[in-house]
Amino acid sequence: MYQLLTDLFPICRSITGNGVRETLNTIRKYIPIEIIEVPTGTKVFDWMVPREWNIRDAYILDENDRKIVDFKENNLHVVSYSVPVDKTVSLTELQEHLFSLEEQPNAIPYITSYYREHWGFCITHNQRISLKEGNYRVVIDSELKDGSLTYGELILPGSSEKEIFSSTYICHPSMANNELSGPVVTTMLAMWLASEPRRHTYRIIFIPETIGSITYLSRNLDHMKQNTVAGFNVTCIGDEQAYSFLPSRNGATLADRVALNILKFKHPGFIHYSFLDRGSDERQYCSPGVDLPVVSVMRSKYGAYPEYHTSLDNLDFVTPLGLQGGYTILRDCLELLERNGIYQATCLGEPQLGRRGLYPSLGTKNPQQEVTEILDFLAYADGSNDLIEISNIIKVPVWRLYGIVEKLLAAGLIMEKTIS
Amino acid sequence: MYQLLTDLFPICRSITGNGVRETLNTIRKYIPIEIIEVPTGTKVFDWMVPREWNIRDAYILDENDRKIVDFKENNLHVVSYSVPVDKTVSLTELQEHLFSLEEQPNAIPYITSYYREHWGFCITHNQRISLKEGNYRVVIDSELKDGSLTYGELILPGSSEKEIFSSTYICHPSMANNELSGPVVTTMLAMWLASEPRRHTYRIIFIPETIGSITYLSRNLDHMKQNTVAGFNVTCIGDEQAYSFLPSRNGATLADRVALNILKFKHPGFIHYSFLDRGSDERQYCSPGVDLPVVSVMRSKYGAYPEYHTSLDNLDFVTPLGLQGGYTILRDCLELLERNGIYQATCLGEPQLGRRGLYPSLGTKNPQQEVTEILDFLAYADGSNDLIEISNIIKVPVWRLYGIVEKLLAAGLIMEKTIS
Amino acid sequence: MYQLLTDLFPICRSITGNGVRETLNTIRKYIPIEIIEVPTGTKVFDWMVPREWNIRDAYILDENDRKIVDFKENNLHVVSYSVPVDKTVSLTELQEHLFSLEEQPNAIPYITSYYREHWGFCITHNQRISLKEGNYRVVIDSELKDGSLTYGELILPGSSEKEIFSSTYICHPSMANNELSGPVVTTMLAMWLASEPRRHTYRIIFIPETIGSITYLSRNLDHMKQNTVAGFNVTCIGDEQAYSFLPSRNGATLADRVALNILKFKHPGFIHYSFLDRGSDERQYCSPGVDLPVVSVMRSKYGAYPEYHTSLDNLDFVTPLGLQGGYTILRDCLELLERNGIYQATCLGEPQLGRRGLYPSLGTKNPQQEVTEILDFLAYADGSNDLIEISNIIKVPVWRLYGIVEKLLAAGLIMEKTIS
């Protein structure tokens, strides 16, 4: 995963343009995503697909023709969606087009101006205060014209039409946790899913944030509302710090229940955010009338770490170990969605486990832990609780129930209940 | 308000009689209340309207014919509803008719005997222990005979038949917080309501406590049960100490929700009493089968401050500032009732606020607080939450939502939902 | 009760056999239980009634023919359901059949082997480590053959077919709290119930644990599911230490509500266990599909005191005072079940208590506590709350409400509501 992330890192992405296409084509080397183009001007809910933005080069020259700021060194240097410019300006005029962070003087900030024509450069605050009076030549060789918005989609059919939805975004330039960790982990999860038998159908999309999710919803909402049982917005999943959770607006969907159960048993110290702390595409997926069951399981959440939206969110901040942890927690969630079910005990009273080799033959002072887990599971296998609920009630990690379910199914002591 | 309170202070009120009439006539100088008389002997639920009590004078003379206790100095000196008496008694016999408070030796207590024939005097404990052996002439020039119970009513029609109910009592003699603060603040609220366009109809009554609310309910219950959406028992609303809240028996009516929302954001340290702490007319309004949505928003609650039901609950204890605070909090509640509604976002997904001037054009690290409030409001404007609920969820004072609602209505981004 | 317990103590009980019959016959001297025999091999849910086990004698002789372990001294010395044996074994072989507790070196443990053929002796750990190398003669004069499982049943009819269920077990040899306190307290409760008028029918059973409750349910489940309103598993109710509570699986049945209300007001420090801490016949009574409203009100819970399942759970651990406390708390629960009801106030608003002698005639600063209780009761006597709920809400012990209900019924101020 770290290698793929490193490959994708230098590409200059925005909400439209060739950076998105290059990113999707790189991912297509691993999983067979379909790439869809939606023309500029297409009406999508309350929005319109904007003009496509591409950039070839950008720099600032000082009076000695030295490149003091160079897009080719770091694509964060240019405000995303900057219109073309090529002129000489005084330092005073230049200042109006510069962005820096006083409190993080070594970081280049990430700034966008999608919906108002503007141009600008982002630099470190240390560089900014070292700029001398004089004239500067500013060049942005960009293009903003009719084109299309590009996104990727992968449908992995399962035995059921019921869908698990996964969304991640590919619209930020060179940033690692709040951008590339999402597509990279999603790609690996898709590879794993493709290699396994699946109960659910999986709908996996790679989109530009906000305008992309709105565009996607405007084309797929009816089908998704009818079929989606759980969904994940995959973002900020590659650093080694926190595990964190952002609920759906509803707060009690299957996606919420799955993620909270897994996090509680696996990383009990995880940070539980409120939906008020949202900031990514759950803003669209959970909006009134859309109401999809989408949550975010993250490591350090966007906005909650100092490196966020700066050049410090880089290949050092995200690590192979961090990506592995993020991948594993999401895979655990998907595995639970595949294995979850409602079971009903087939006999009244407790079954006689002893003659099935599931109970110790000698009655002693301290019964064994595994026997307790089987009996506790059976006590709540009443045809109404699913595995998640039983795990929560009996305080046993759900993955320890998978084996118990198999043993009890084999012994005919439980049956799976079909939900009408 | 303080002037009106000062004017009303000297009047000797009881549950019937001319003191009530004089009080109502004073209030009628400000608002056009109708004054209703209900004859003695009228059956009202389980009770009967008692005989009317009036008093002209009362005093105790010592052996030197000195007036040692004089009703004209403080009308608390006479037990309310005392029968006439004019005789000379020994100190021992007199003691059986004296009331004082050992733990508050400078306070005259307030004592009533409405439903058993009795006479008595209330004095300070300091005076009581200074009384010398000897004979005393006791005179109470009162009258207890068939007459009527008097109350005032003001109906302010609104565009809807749905009613807000407000009740306050006018049956205590010279006490300021636990009596006059209620009618005075109610009078000012009625003046304000009369001057504004109203969605709701307002039913505002001035009654003697207990027997008055029972009498009023017995004549108006069916209409009130059908139309009342929220009600307030206005009492103890003029001192400068606490803000406090006493819920309805139900605890979750619109009145409870409104009062708790306003208090939480405006005076977060308010005291939240239980319905078990009740002691005023909510005893009737919330009784089984009556079940009106009536709460009390108070400052220092009856029974919870040492001056309560003594001569110390006077014009010093209640202040202009205290009355102003009480008036404001209740007006905030009424304003919320007028403005509350259920709104539904008109577009799927978030609207594009930017092209409507509601969103900053540059995407930066820290979005603005006002944008967050608009987006949070929209996220919960789902056609089921009312303004109170949204305010509680998104933790924004409801009065900050009024402007947001207006902007979003003007932009066509929400519509008000008619409740079927 | 302590005398009966002392009489029953020496009998060697197991899940079948003459010890059970002798125990039931002793109890029959006090209450007219019917004794039922269920033949070996009868299918009961997932189980089968096992062969009947009886034992006449058992001992271990050392090389000097000294009885170093003697069943007649303490019947815990033999593993319950041991098959017959009479042979001479080396110490090494003997060790494989010995059970002791290293951490309680003076206690004989209680061990069973109901469903696997086995023989064994239980001794103190101190004795075990003192055993010398050599040969030992082991004799168990027992018999395991077709017979029957024995239990006792007492039905006390009431004016309603609705039943209160009580179950206790009679399958442990000489142990006092975790065995005999249950049958003894149950016997006394049955005597008390038999002497009183009863609204409910009482179903009281004395059974061997697990196989007995399964057997009983397999023969009576339909009737019990239809009629049982509350039930108690009576066990561990005779020591002087804790009071404790184990809920039904449902957790909110009438039995739970009754027991929690009584315990909260009577022994507020009681231990509130989870259903996960279960270990007795509620395992069957609350299993999916059975779902009877059965709880346990206990003193020191099985498994939660060191003497449990050893020879230290003896006539010193259980005391007359401990039994009396256990009896009283259960009788309080049954009394509440008999007296519980839903009442509705008959007049709107508060009634005029004064003319009925229920209210003080003088209005003063501090109303009396008893008046508050009457008014609080009336405020919640709304035709939906039962006595338990009102007691919980108004924070008055339910037994103080019994007298209030009688007074108010007599005054015609409430009526009992028939539940449709």
Side-chain angles (χ1 to χ4, degrees), chain C residues 134-417:
Chain C
N135 290 319
Y136 292 87
R137 184 168 165 219
V138 291
V139 175
I140 298 181
D141 181 9
S142 68
E143 201 176 48
L144 189 55
K145 61 173 190 185
D146 284 358
S148 59
L149 177 153
T150 313
Y151 68 81
E153 179 193 65
L154 174 65
I155 309 286
L156 294 171
S159 56
S160 157
E161 290 188 348
K162 292 295 163 195
E163 290 187 0
I164 311 294
F165 174 57
S166 173
S167 173
T168 194
Y169 46 87
I170 35 76
C171 59
H172 293 64
S174 299
M175 286 180 295
N177 196 43
N178 183 43
E179 169 80 6
L180 291 172
S181 68
V184 160
V185 164
T186 300
T187 300
M188 290 304 125
L189 286 169
M191 290 172 67
W192 171 70
L193 286 165
S195 71
E196 298 271 323
R198 290 176 300 277
R199 206 165 58 150
H200 295 96
T201 294
Y202 286 80
R203 176 177 297 268
I204 298 164
I205 65 173
F206 301 79
I207 51 163
E209 215 176 2
T210 304
I211 185 66
S213 52
I214 287 171
T215 299
Y216 193 82
L217 286 172
S218 75
R219 297 158 65 100
N220 296 279
L221 182 58
D222 286 349
H223 179 90
M224 291 172 77
K225 284 193 77 162
Q226 197 171 338
N227 292 290
T228 308
V229 295
F232 299 88
N233 186 52
V234 183
T235 175
C236 295
I237 191 75
D239 68 294
E240 292 188 21
Q241 298 177 12
Y243 284 94
S244 57
F245 172 71
L246 190 122
S248 72
R249 185 167 73 97
N250 173 304
T253 70
L254 180 58
D256 295 272
R257 295 177 61 238
V258 161
L260 285 170
N261 177 275
I262 294 291
L263 280 164
K264 179 171 67 179
F265 284 103
K266 200 139 191 181
H267 302 291
F270 78 96
I271 303 168
H272 193 151
Y273 287 101
S274 151
F275 188 67
L276 298 179
D277 301 311
R278 73 198 180 286
S280 181
D281 282 326
E282 67 284 341
R283 289 165 53 175
Q284 315 311 325
Y285 297 136
C286 298
S287 63
V290 174
D291 292 316
L292 292 172
V294 173
V295 303
S296 296
V297 176
M298 297 166 283
R299 302 209 60 160
S300 291
K301 176 183 168 291
Y302 46 81
Y305 58 100
E307 297 84 356
Y308 169 72
H309 269 200
T310 76
S311 56
L312 303 179
D313 185 352
N314 58 25
L315 296 171
D316 293 330
F317 187 68
V318 164
T319 67
L321 195 67
L323 289 166
Q324 185 62 38
Y327 167 78
T328 303
I329 196 85
L330 283 168
R331 204 184 62 181
D332 287 345
C333 291
L334 299 181
E335 187 175 5
L336 174 48
L337 281 163
E338 286 290 314
R339 285 179 174 269
N340 191 36
I342 295 176
Y343 296 94
Q344 182 151 26
T346 53
C347 73
L348 292 167
E350 290 181 347
Q352 192 180 11
L353 297 178
R355 63 176 157 94
R356 297 177 176 93
L358 299 170
Y359 201 84
S361 56
L362 280 176
T364 60
K365 209 173 159 172
N366 301 304
Q368 300 167 13
Q369 179 60 23
E370 58 187 0
V371 173
T372 303
E373 290 181 6
I374 291 175
L375 289 175
D376 282 353
F377 177 81
L378 281 167
Y380 290 95
D382 60 359
S384 72
N385 296 314
D386 65 4
L387 287 195
I388 303 165
E389 189 63 20
I390 296 182
S391 162
N392 289 339
I393 294 174
I394 74 174
K395 300 179 173 56
V396 172
V398 75
W399 51 87
R400 289 237 294 274
L401 300 184
Y402 300 155
I404 290 175
V405 166
E406 281 166 20
K407 278 186 197 170
L408 294 175
L409 279 173
L413 289 175
I414 55 171
M415 59 181 180
E416 187 164 7
K417 199 162 173 187

Side-chain angles (χ1 to χ4, degrees), chain C residues 15-18 20-21 36-42 49-54 81 145-151:
Chain C
I15 53 172
T16 60
N18 292 324
V20 176
R21 292 191 189 94
I36 291 112
E37 303 280 351
V38 182
T40 296
T42 305
V49 173
R51 284 182 293 170
E52 180 175 330
W53 183 72
N54 283 293
Y81 261 67
K145 61 173 190 185
D146 284 358
S148 59
L149 177 153
T150 313
Y151 68 81

Side-chain angles (χ1 to χ4, degrees), chain B residues 110 169 171-172 178 208-211 213 233 235-236 245-249 273-286 294-296 298 301-304 308-309, chain C residues 350 359 364-365 367 371-372 375-376 379:
Chain B
Y110 165 55
Y169 45 88
C171 59
H172 292 65
N178 183 43
E209 214 177 3
T210 304
I211 187 66
S213 53
N233 185 52
T235 175
C236 295
F245 173 72
L246 190 122
S248 72
R249 185 167 73 96
Y273 288 102
S274 153
F275 187 67
L276 297 180
D277 300 311
R278 74 198 180 286
S280 181
D281 281 326
E282 68 284 341
R283 288 165 54 175
Q284 315 311 325
Y285 298 136
C286 298
V294 174
V295 302
S296 296
M298 297 167 283
K301 176 184 168 288
Y302 46 80
Y308 169 72
H309 269 201
Chain C
E350 290 181 347
Y359 201 84
T364 60
K365 209 173 159 172
V371 173
T372 303
L375 289 175
D376 282 353

